[in-house]
Amino acid sequence: MEERPETELISIPATPRASTPGILTPAGLRSPRGVPKEAAGGGSTKSWTPTSFISPRFLSPIGTPVKRVLINMKGYLEEVGHLTKLNPQDAWLPITESRNGNAHYAAFHNLNAGVGFQALVLPVAFSFLGWSWGIVSLFIAYLWQLYTLWILVQLHEAVPGKRYNRYVELAQAAFGERLGVWLALFPTVYLSAGTATALILVGGETMKLFFQIVCGPLCQSNPLTTVEWYLVFTSLCIVLSQLPNLNSIAGLSLLGAVTAITYSTMVSVLSVSQQRPPSISYEPLALPSLTASLFSVLNALGIIAFAFRGHNLVLEIQATIPSTFKKPAHVPMWRGAKVAYFFIAICLFPVAIGGYWAYGNLVENIPRGLLAVTFLLVVFNCLSSFQIYSMPVFDSFEAGYTSRTNRPCSIWVRSSFRVFYGFISLLIGVALPFLSSLAGLLGGLTLPVTFAYPCFMWVLIKKPTKYTFQLVFQLDPWLVGYCF
């Protein structure tokens, strides 16, 4: 009677060891297959961990040698990590096929996604809002976005044994399968595709300006047209997009982060170092009607919101980081995000405040700087930002292909998807050349993704108790009504 529990306990470790075969990914790596539902705890309401079956209650009647073996096995399982239930298809997709990211990669990706050409439009928003409301709006948007970023990082592994690797997956878990897709798919895809198209327009125009400054009057006889510069920039983007997955573009994200910090600093310094116009004024622009004033204020708030986009990439970036029982992915992710948002603050605030101080309400367009090196840095930043914002779209293309064929994309299929997407973005940019100036519209679409959805998802997944300080503290004013 006393030997039976001992025999059962010794045979238990064979279950997790038997559930860890790997499958070959397009990158030549191996990814573990999903464990059975029973092992992942899906069949019961109680949460399961790799060591839940080795408790002091089980160890108490067992002799010291066996107890030592089981304790060592418990430490090994804690070191190896959660036996997370994985979808084998994830091993074939660009976002999840490589999980060797770290805090440095997270910092590079978040900084590359968070700082870009949209920072140069912030003085325009100040020209409609003025000093007080402009600074207050910028400060609140920054703190609010940092808070909702923390929510997404924590929700990535909110359910034991499950990782929400994409924004749409988390929305489906919170709002339901159908409603989650309707609420999250359109704004996230539109944000990725719209940003990529705007990057083609800004990058092509900046390349044209750079060429004109460097070449001067020697190249005025037969210059390239603006559309031809768009084509040149798109071709460069397509070549760089052949890198297979999100981790493989970490070097490009580092380049984008460095160039963004550099040209933001240069724009700020050039703005405050030159002499201000004599007719400068810091009063908000006067418009002929109340309706026009209202739309200008909404456009300014949309510009500020667009400057703080990037939440549609947070879960995807965290999905590239390995997660273990002792070292969950949210630890390096949050460490890298804090570093990234420190640099985002020292880039955006000086550009907005310095640019408005130098130009006042005379600002009418994106300030392009005075030196050719600034244009070159903007081009490099646009090239790298195109890659990270396009990766969710590439992932969606390949997910549709692999789900239908039940096999990974070949190199030719993957390349075809990316060439197709690049030229579709170019076609949209040529058909809508004013898209780069619609920062307010793009920012309006980022509002729910960045500022509202994370708070709702926290309530629906974590289910904090009503009428408690925890609910009020965890949520922003959008959800105070939930208490009633």
Side-chain angles (χ1 to χ4, degrees):
M1 296 296 293
E2 295 295 325
E3 295 179 356
R4 185 178 177 183
E6 185 173 313
T7 305
E8 290 179 354
L9 285 173
I10 292 175
S11 63
I12 285 175
T15 301
R17 290 178 61 85
S19 63
T20 56
I23 57 176
L24 193 63
T25 69
L29 304 176
R30 287 193 173 270
S31 177
R33 294 184 185 272
V35 296
K37 184 177 181 180
E38 302 90 312
S44 64
T45 56
K46 184 177 179 181
S47 62
W48 183 88
T49 61
T51 59
S52 59
F53 58 84
I54 309 175
S55 63
R57 190 172 181 180
F58 278 119
L59 295 178
S60 56
I62 303 176
T64 304
V66 178
K67 184 176 181 179
R68 186 181 299 113
V69 170
L70 293 176
I71 291 175
N72 291 338
M73 184 184 68
K74 178 180 179 180
Y76 169 75
L77 291 176
E78 289 178 346
E79 188 67 30
V80 170
H82 298 286
L83 295 180
T84 305
K85 186 178 180 181
L86 299 177
N87 182 359
Q89 184 187 4
D90 281 346
W92 301 334
L93 302 180
I95 289 175
T96 50
E97 75 172 5
S98 176
R99 293 186 186 268
N100 60 353
N102 51 42
H104 298 90
Y105 285 14
F108 300 158
H109 290 316
N110 279 287
L111 187 53
N112 185 30
V115 181
F117 71 92
Q118 74 279 1
L120 303 179
V121 199
L122 287 174
V124 181
F126 273 54
S127 66
F128 292 109
L129 297 174
W131 275 120
S132 300
W133 287 110
I135 293 177
V136 168
S137 301
L138 190 64
F139 188 71
I140 291 176
Y142 176 79
L143 293 181
W144 198 346
Q145 191 202 30
L146 190 60
Y147 165 64
T148 52
L149 173 69
W150 177 83
I151 290 179
L152 290 176
V153 171
Q154 297 299 317
L155 290 179
H156 180 80
E157 294 176 285
V159 178
K162 171 69 176 176
R163 296 184 70 176
Y164 298 110
N165 298 316
R166 296 160 184 85
Y167 196 100
V168 177
E169 292 178 8
L170 183 61
Q172 288 179 303
F175 303 118
E177 293 290 333
R178 295 177 61 86
L179 183 59
V181 171
W182 280 103
L183 291 176
L185 185 61
F186 173 74
T188 53
V189 171
Y190 183 85
L191 184 59
S192 295
T195 303
T197 304
L199 286 168
I200 289 177
L201 300 180
V202 173
E205 292 173 0
T206 308
M207 288 183 70
K208 179 180 178 180
L209 291 173
F210 172 77
F211 185 77
Q212 290 174 350
I213 292 175
V214 172
C215 197
L218 299 178
C219 304
Q220 298 298 325
S221 58
N222 191 20
L224 294 178
T225 64
T226 304
V227 175
E228 290 172 337
W229 281 112
Y230 292 162
L231 179 60
V232 172
F233 183 84
T234 304
S235 300
L236 293 176
C237 290
I238 290 174
V239 171
L240 293 176
S241 69
Q242 302 309 312
L243 293 171
N245 53 61
L246 190 55
N247 268 337
S248 64
I249 65 171
L252 287 177
S253 291
L254 174 60
L255 176 64
V258 171
T259 53
I261 294 173
T262 305
Y263 77 68
S264 297
T265 304
M266 292 183 64
V267 169
S268 303
V269 172
L270 290 173
S271 297
V272 300
S273 62
Q274 64 181 356
Q275 186 176 1
R276 290 183 292 173
S279 60
I280 190 171
S281 173
Y282 297 111
E283 292 295 328
L285 290 173
L287 295 175
S289 65
L290 179 62
T291 304
S293 300
L294 178 61
F295 277 103
S296 66
V297 170
L298 293 177
N299 183 61
L301 295 176
I303 289 174
I304 293 176
F306 185 50
F308 292 106
R309 79 217 193 284
H311 274 30
N312 60 314
L313 299 170
V314 172
L315 296 174
E316 287 80 353
I317 294 171
Q318 192 169 348
T320 65
I321 301 176
S323 184
T324 65
F325 191 71
K326 285 187 174 180
K327 299 178 181 179
H330 69 82
V331 176
M333 177 65 184
W334 180 239
R335 189 184 305 123
K338 288 188 293 185
V339 173
Y341 274 79
F342 169 76
F343 284 103
I344 289 174
I346 65 176
C347 288
L348 299 187
F349 281 89
V351 168
I353 297 174
Y356 186 60
W357 179 86
Y359 301 104
N361 59 13
L362 300 178
V363 179
E364 297 180 354
N365 213 331
I366 299 176
R368 299 186 179 276
L370 302 176
L371 298 175
V373 64
T374 306
F375 298 133
L376 185 61
L377 293 173
V378 172
V379 171
F380 287 155
N381 178 259
C382 290
L383 286 171
S384 59
S385 297
F386 181 91
Q387 307 308 318
I388 192 169
Y389 272 95
S390 301
M391 197 60 69
V393 182
F394 299 157
D395 188 85
S396 299
F397 285 163
E398 297 188 27
Y401 177 85
T402 55
S403 63
R404 287 176 173 82
T405 61
N406 197 27
R407 61 182 180 183
C409 292
S410 66
I411 187 173
W412 298 111
V413 173
R414 173 171 284 183
S415 299
S416 300
F417 281 145
R418 302 184 180 195
V419 171
F420 171 78
Y421 174 73
F423 283 110
I424 283 294
S425 300
L426 173 64
L427 179 62
I428 295 174
V430 173
L432 304 173
F434 52 86
L435 188 61
S436 60
S437 62
L438 297 180
L441 177 59
L442 290 173
L445 291 173
T446 67
L447 282 174
V449 173
T450 302
F451 298 116
Y453 286 172
C455 307
F456 284 97
M457 291 188 289
W458 177 275
V459 171
L460 295 172
I461 293 177
K462 291 292 188 179
K463 295 181 173 61
T465 306
K466 293 183 180 181
Y467 309 107
T468 60
F469 174 76
Q470 180 189 9
L471 179 66
V472 178
F473 178 77
Q474 294 291 345
L475 303 181
D476 50 64
W478 283 73
L479 298 179
V480 172
Y482 177 82
C483 301
F484 303 96

